[in-house]
Amino acid sequence: MLNDLWYKNAIVYCLSVGTFMDSNGDGVGDFQGLVRRLPYLQGLGVTTIWLMPFQPSPGRDNGYDISDYYNVDSKYGTLGDFAEFTHACHERGMRVMVDLVINHTSDQHPWFREARSDPASKYHDWYVWADRQPPHARDGVVFPGVQKSTWTFDKQAKRWFFHRFYDFQPDLNTANPQVHAELLKIMGFWLQLGVSGFRMDAVPFVIGTKGAKVRQPVEQYDMLRSFREFLQWRTGDAIILAEANVLPDTDLDYFGDEGERLQMMFNFQVNQNTFYTLATGDTGPLKKALTATKARPATAQWGVFLRNHDELDLGRLAPEQRAAVFAAFGPDPDMQLYGRGIRRRLAPMLSGDRRRVELAYSLMLTLPGTPVFRYGDEIGMGEDLSLPERECARTPMQWSTEPHGGFTKHPNPSSRVISGGAYGFERVNVASQRRDPNSFLNWTERMIRMRREVPEISWGDFAILRASRNDVLALRYDWRNNSVVCVHNFAAEACTVKFRSGCNGPGENRLVNLLSDDHSEEGDDGRHTVVLEPYGYRWYRVGGLDYLLKRSEL
Ligand code: GLC
């Protein structure tokens, strides 16, 4: 049934509770503030909210260092507030997903405290230890330049412990059956509180073998199956959306050949190549990435995104491709991070050029998968490069021209809203864009609305059409005898592009524009000839003049 696989046609919006809306004036966003903003998110067309970590944490990695999996950090509210929040989302027909950070805990987690203070405790084996520094301790760091090693000596335990990420994030020994049981319990807990699924952090590391002798971790894919089975036994429609920046030839290992493992993964391959195409106008590598990630089981789905809370990771591009993206979007070394990425938000990367920002989002909304928005991108927020590492793109939401962008009434909050300049809250905020029918916010809302009426993209199979130009990408989606064609021009110049829709049933020589009156009729040569503006885009449905789906039982 169409609606059963809800994640296929969802619009996901990710946010941090702490930077979204402060209701009590203490300078930190909270669940009550977020609840007040739900009508806004519903109006935007968001169907699923993904919350970044909000559990108790020393906060040394933006909450990705959890010290209690079964609670809400008191900065953000209480478990009661969380339950009110999920209830309020459900009232509005929205679902909630939460981050599941189980590769590691904080070093302040009671499990680790006990593990390090008492090697005889059962918790000792919940982490990964070595008596001597492993020879490859300097390999495989995730944050080069900031993190020096993946093994650190613990004075209390007098042993070395493994940490794939920062040294305050000891890795859990996920091969330990007790740890495995605890991970399921964590999922069960949040399911019981009403969530519809998890964005699972760092999946390849969660399932990789760990230990002093492990040079090249081996993924234990069956662990994914056990997670899924548990989830579906407890709550039939709950899903996992994996953060797994992996090569396409392992995609099916993650999804499972029969779709028995993960329901969703972020498509990092397409993400990185999208930025290459935005930077150069060359659609070749993006087409390759789309083809390489095409195969997936019927129930599986990609999460497609532009920017997230981390750096834009370009590590999978060839060095000269990466250099081209750096040159276009992050030429200043301070805009780059970890030698592989760009730490900026999308709008400033595209020089605030509305045409290019629209092109990027129009593309994201029409790539195969479920679109995932990052809070603030719908109004074109910028970054604050004076903040360290990835913090620069995690500033508070800009609601209005009131002090601190209306985010808080606190006179001096520790999270500072971006102020002044082209991206300051005085110029970029929700309230002003709400009033302006031509604002980017209202454009985004209209596009999301249309995207939700185009299930072909979510459900269908796609074909890359042979366009007469390499700087134009033309995709067709087919689903239940309906087809849409989406065309994007990555060039700074207007152009004329010719392509065959590939559909030749009765009435199918017409492409009905879903967004304007500018339809297209097939020429005598059997091709469509479309004139596109610089960075122009078109969404068409094949056949008839009604823009809605024709041949389907929705
Ligand atoms: C993931 C998160 C990132 C975090 C890391 C460690 O990559 O996206 O923000 O720092 O995991 O938990």
Side-chain angles (χ1 to χ4, degrees):
M1 290 299 295
L2 187 59
N3 290 324
D4 287 357
L5 304 189
W6 59 270
Y7 52 93
K8 284 252 177 182
N9 206 34
I11 302 287
V12 182
Y13 185 96
C14 93
L15 64 91
S16 285
V17 180
T19 50
F20 205 59
M21 182 66 206
D22 173 21
S23 71
N24 60 6
D26 66 354
V28 180
D30 45 46
F31 276 105
Q32 291 191 17
L34 173 54
V35 168
R36 286 190 206 162
R37 294 308 190 202
L38 289 182
Y40 166 76
L41 295 176
Q42 185 184 22
L44 186 59
V46 170
T47 67
T48 306
I49 298 175
W50 151 30
L51 295 181
M52 334 227 22
F54 53 80
Q55 291 85 353
S57 157
R60 295 180 67 191
D61 181 16
N62 210 244
Y64 283 90
D65 47 335
I66 291 178
S67 55
D68 178 1
Y69 286 97
Y70 300 105
N71 217 331
V72 167
D73 197 308
S74 57
K75 295 198 288 274
Y76 308 136
T78 62
L79 273 178
D81 294 324
F82 180 83
E84 288 297 299
F85 160 71
T86 48
H87 171 73
C89 288
H90 296 164
E91 285 281 282
R92 292 186 155 74
M94 292 194 276
R95 292 176 181 266
V96 178
M97 293 181 72
V98 299
D99 233 289
L100 186 66
V101 189
I102 52 174
N103 177 63
H104 46 264
T105 68
S106 157
D107 60 0
Q108 298 308 307
H109 195 293
W111 302 337
F112 190 67
R113 286 173 177 237
E114 201 160 325
R116 66 172 13 159
S117 66
D118 178 8
S121 119
K122 78 163 188 181
Y123 291 110
H124 192 74
D125 192 44
W126 282 38
Y127 294 88
V128 184
W129 301 94
D131 289 324
R132 259 175 241 105
Q133 182 179 28
H136 51 276
R138 291 189 171 265
D139 297 351
V141 298
V142 176
F143 305 122
V146 189
Q147 177 195 0
K148 292 200 173 52
S149 158
T150 51
W151 289 87
T152 292
F153 185 70
D154 184 63
K155 287 194 194 107
Q156 258 179 292
K158 300 195 179 51
R159 297 185 82 190
W160 296 75
F161 69 91
F162 176 64
H163 52 90
R164 172 61 67 187
F165 296 90
Y166 298 108
D167 59 4
F168 52 83
Q169 291 168 320
D171 266 48
L172 280 166
N173 177 9
T174 42
N176 178 331
Q178 287 181 9
V179 172
H180 190 262
E182 188 75 28
L183 302 184
L184 299 184
K185 195 164 146 188
I186 294 168
M187 288 192 237
F189 178 80
W190 294 104
L191 288 176
Q192 209 67 27
L193 290 183
V195 310
S196 293
F198 302 92
R199 177 265 187 195
M200 195 188 270
D201 189 52
V203 174
F205 300 132
V206 171
I207 66 170
T209 46
K210 312 184 189 198
K213 296 208 173 71
V214 178
R215 251 218 123 91
Q216 200 56 48
V218 181
E219 288 85 355
Q220 307 295 300
Y221 293 112
D222 240 23
M223 214 184 268
L224 301 175
R225 184 190 177 123
S226 72
F227 293 154
R228 185 199 180 115
E229 280 175 354
F230 173 81
L231 231 66
Q232 302 226 310
W233 177 245
R234 286 282 170 98
T235 311
D237 60 356
I239 64 151
I240 292 176
L241 162 56
E243 183 208 24
N245 182 352
V246 294
L247 289 171
D249 59 5
T250 56
D251 289 347
L252 286 179
D253 295 325
Y254 283 86
F255 286 135
D257 287 334
E258 310 291 329
E260 74 279 15
R261 293 178 185 156
L262 301 172
Q263 291 89 348
M264 288 188 76
M265 284 206 278
F266 285 110
N267 197 333
F268 281 92
Q269 202 72 27
V270 162
N271 174 265
Q272 306 193 11
N273 284 287
T274 292
F275 278 90
Y276 175 74
T277 301
L278 288 168
T280 62
D282 174 8
T283 59
L286 176 57
K287 288 182 197 155
K288 266 196 205 142
L290 286 167
T291 307
T293 57
K294 191 170 167 46
R296 56 186 148 95
T299 56
Q301 178 77 327
W302 286 114
V304 287
F305 64 106
L306 291 171
R307 289 290 290 112
N308 61 20
H309 62 293
D310 290 326
E311 81 284 5
L312 164 64
D313 185 343
L314 303 167
R316 300 250 179 240
L317 297 182
E320 61 281 5
Q321 293 177 324
R322 188 162 48 248
V325 183
F326 277 151
F329 299 145
D332 186 342
D334 189 39
M335 298 168 171
Q336 301 169 10
L337 198 59
Y338 311 136
R340 62 167 180 244
I342 299 180
R343 62 191 196 115
R344 309 180 73 192
R345 281 237 190 201
L346 185 82
M349 278 201 267
L350 300 177
S351 314
D353 184 336
R354 171 74 180 263
R355 300 168 308 169
R356 300 180 81 185
V357 181
E358 281 191 17
L359 173 75
Y361 276 100
S362 169
L363 178 72
M364 175 180 99
L365 285 163
T366 57
L367 283 172
T370 292
V372 181
F373 283 82
R374 167 127 176 96
Y375 81 90
D377 279 359
E378 73 274 28
I379 52 171
M381 269 171 58
E383 73 274 336
D384 176 354
L385 289 173
S386 71
L387 295 171
E389 287 183 72
R390 295 160 291 161
E391 295 306 311
C392 58
R394 298 169 174 176
T395 58
M397 181 68 179
Q398 298 172 192
W399 293 106
S400 69
T401 53
E402 287 171 289
H404 307 293
F407 157 69
T408 179
K409 296 222 178 312
H410 193 280
N412 193 21
S414 54
S415 288
R416 302 207 68 85
V417 73
I418 294 177
S419 168
Y423 299 97
F425 71 88
E426 302 87 345
R427 288 174 75 169
V428 175
N429 66 73
V430 171
S432 313
Q433 293 199 24
R434 220 62 194 103
R435 296 187 191 104
D436 171 4
N438 295 317
S439 67
F440 187 63
L441 175 62
N442 282 318
W443 178 88
T444 307
E445 184 185 313
R446 287 194 300 276
M447 295 299 273
I448 289 179
R449 176 186 177 143
M450 184 51 77
R451 174 62 178 76
R452 290 176 62 183
E453 293 179 18
V454 188
E456 291 99 326
I457 300 174
S458 309
W459 286 83
D461 199 7
F462 73 90
I464 299 172
L465 302 182
R466 194 182 301 227
S468 59
R469 302 179 58 100
N470 181 48
D471 43 18
V472 173
L473 179 70
L475 295 177
R476 191 190 70 234
Y477 290 88
D478 304 306
W479 181 67
R480 293 189 180 173
N481 289 323
N482 291 280
S483 300
V484 289
V485 173
C486 305
V487 186
H488 290 86
N489 173 22
F490 293 90
E493 294 85 40
C495 73
T496 302
V497 64
K498 288 176 179 283
F499 57 88
R500 275 176 217 281
S501 76
C503 299
N504 31 35
E508 293 192 337
N509 49 359
R510 171 182 283 151
L511 294 179
V512 179
N513 194 318
L514 296 176
L515 303 165
S516 78
D517 281 337
D518 167 26
H519 311 304
S520 171
E521 297 285 342
E522 206 172 271
D524 292 339
D525 61 355
R527 297 200 291 176
H528 288 269
T529 302
V530 176
V531 181
L532 293 164
E533 311 77 36
Y535 306 117
Y537 53 88
R538 298 284 186 277
W539 298 14
Y540 298 111
R541 182 162 274 122
V542 178
L545 268 182
D546 182 354
Y547 76 95
L548 289 171
L549 275 183
K550 305 203 163 320
R551 283 154 282 191
S552 103
E553 331 74 69
L554 259 185

